[in-house]
Amino acid sequence: MPTTVVWLRNSLRLHDHPALTHAAERGGVVPVFVWAPDEEAPWAPGGAHRWWLHESLDALGRSLQEEGSRLVLRQGTSLDELKAVCEASGADRVVWQTRLAPALRRRDEAVREGLEAAGVEVRTFAGRVLHDPEQIRTGSGGPYRVFTPFWKKVRAQLDPGDPLPAPDLGGAAPATWPESADLDALGLTPEAQDGVDWAGGMRETWTPGEGGAAERLDTFVSQQLLHYDEERDFPAARGTSMLSPHLHWGEVSPRQVWAAANGWVSNGVTREAADAFLFEIGWREFSYHVLHHFPHMPDAPLKEKYERMPWAHDDDALRAWQRGRTGYPLVDAAMRQLWHVGWMHNRMRMVTASFLTKDLLVRWQDGERWFWDTLCGGDLANNAMGWQWAAGSGADAQPFFRIFNPLSQSTRYDPEGDYIRRWVPELSALPTKHLHAPWTAPPEVLEEAGVTLGETYPHPIVDHKEARERALEALKQVNV
Ligand code: FAD
């Protein structure tokens, strides 16, 4: 019976996994994960990623065991470990789901060459995205840089088909199981990383793994999808799916999400509601499309003239933003939500990114890196797309001169102040009228609420009006 190694990276699931299904149909299956963060530099998994990965590998290992299989964990150089696993198990083929991040693509190509040179066959399978970035082209044959025509074209020809069931792995054990490292030995947990358990909020919020992903998807499509369009902009509501980390780690495939949302259309959800959600899945497709064709997107502006932006290089401002101490309650609430649960609401991502790059004039790459380190679902394509969108330099970006006013965003999207009160509890006793801009509250109101500006909560670190003018002045150097 031929044996196949399934090399897992961010496809940590059993369902709808074409590479795994192929391996199971062929004979023996050896699922392998190799921890090799140096190969992913400069975008190796961040701190929150590592916490999630530990939990997700744990869940996957248990699922595989229930199916009569195992998860083989290795640490070292991917090529060497895969060759060793093939040798130990007698596998003659290695398969994996195609990876689209630039460092992973380069690494995978080198691994393919190395395996083939060693006489091991390699096959790769799609599944990370719904479209094939090489097949979707503009009329003139190039890649898309604008979302609307891209999505129109993709949707017109999209036929992802039904998700695959989990393969039967019961009789697919290899003749010999290769050795596996202990999960704890990979050192992914916060205690192992820096000796501090900062993951409490993440543990309360998430259930990493395929089971947790399936439950979240099911709850979302059955209970929230119908109201997605009306509620998705309000951070205090549970209006969005919170699937991003599950999608990032491949605990659920985009095809499964696509099928689940469409499956509810005749079941109480309107076509419009489903489409509003699938439109966002479309942005995910677009991010990957652009990353595939412009692999420098995470590091450099897509519009080159933005290289001329005279950034402020202000470490104090960056630190205040990272810690949720800018003095703007909505911005601070969002940054603290991010730190606490490893996720931030989409509108808040736009608000905080605008605040960093425009009000504070700090480089978008610094914000992108912070998100990468703190988001459980920090995703190279979506993160770079989001930051370049906010900073005006990306594909189909918001123009730089459109600068969010943090106060009007606050009164509009958190009108009752529930989100601010949840994440900035030292302001919770302030009346809603003054909550969005505590520095405008009369002294007796602040006193009654137990707020002392500069002590219990910071003064605003910039004046928005002045900061806006400074940003527009800076923009002139981009547009010379
Ligand atoms: P939902 O609204 O339920 O959307 C469902 C899925 O669609 C998401 O899980 C995501 O995969 C995709 N999606 C939604 N909005 C977008 C978008 N604007 N661009 C691309 N895909 C989208 N998303 C990430 O997955 N990882 C990131 O690291 C990331 N960084 C971002 C940084 C900035 C500055 C901005 C503005 C956006 C970023 N996004 C990122 C996109 C978006 O904010 C998140 O995908 C979304 O908030 C995740 O919450 P959700 O799963 O509840 O989204």
Side-chain angles (χ1 to χ4, degrees), residues 412-433:
R412 183 157 175 206
Y413 294 110
D414 190 27
E416 305 304 325
D418 295 338
Y419 182 69
I420 292 174
R421 287 196 176 86
R422 164 76 181 82
W423 294 109
V424 191
E426 67 268 36
L427 298 179
S428 61
L430 275 176
T432 304
K433 189 172 146 201

Side-chain angles (χ1 to χ4, degrees), residues 8 11-14 31 55-65 71 209-210:
L8 302 161
S11 56
L12 304 177
R13 64 179 182 275
L14 304 186
E55 301 294 322
S56 192
L57 290 173
D58 190 32
L60 184 66
R62 279 184 276 113
S63 307
L64 283 166
Q65 218 149 30
L71 177 61
E210 187 172 18

Side-chain angles (χ1 to χ4, degrees), residues 218-261:
D218 189 54
T219 306
F220 174 71
V221 289
S222 61
Q223 296 171 23
Q224 298 162 276
L225 177 57
L226 179 60
H227 303 292
Y228 177 78
D229 206 17
E230 302 104 71
E231 298 198 347
R232 61 182 298 263
D233 268 322
F234 297 93
R238 273 291 306 273
T240 68
S241 70
M242 292 183 78
L243 280 168
S244 49
H246 298 292
L247 273 164
H248 171 74
W249 289 106
E251 297 167 352
V252 63
S253 72
R255 179 158 64 176
Q256 287 173 291
V257 174
W258 190 262

Side-chain angles (χ1 to χ4, degrees), residues 228 240-244 247 277 280-281 283-284 287 343-346 349-350 353 371 375 377-379 382-383 386-387:
Y228 177 78
T240 68
S241 70
M242 292 183 78
L243 280 168
S244 49
L247 273 164
F277 173 69
E280 300 305 326
I281 298 295
W283 269 96
R284 179 178 181 276
S287 301
W343 181 87
M344 189 198 287
H345 186 274
N346 178 60
R349 295 186 202 208
M350 299 196 296
F371 272 29
L375 280 169
D379 187 275
N382 289 352
N383 197 29
W387 278 97

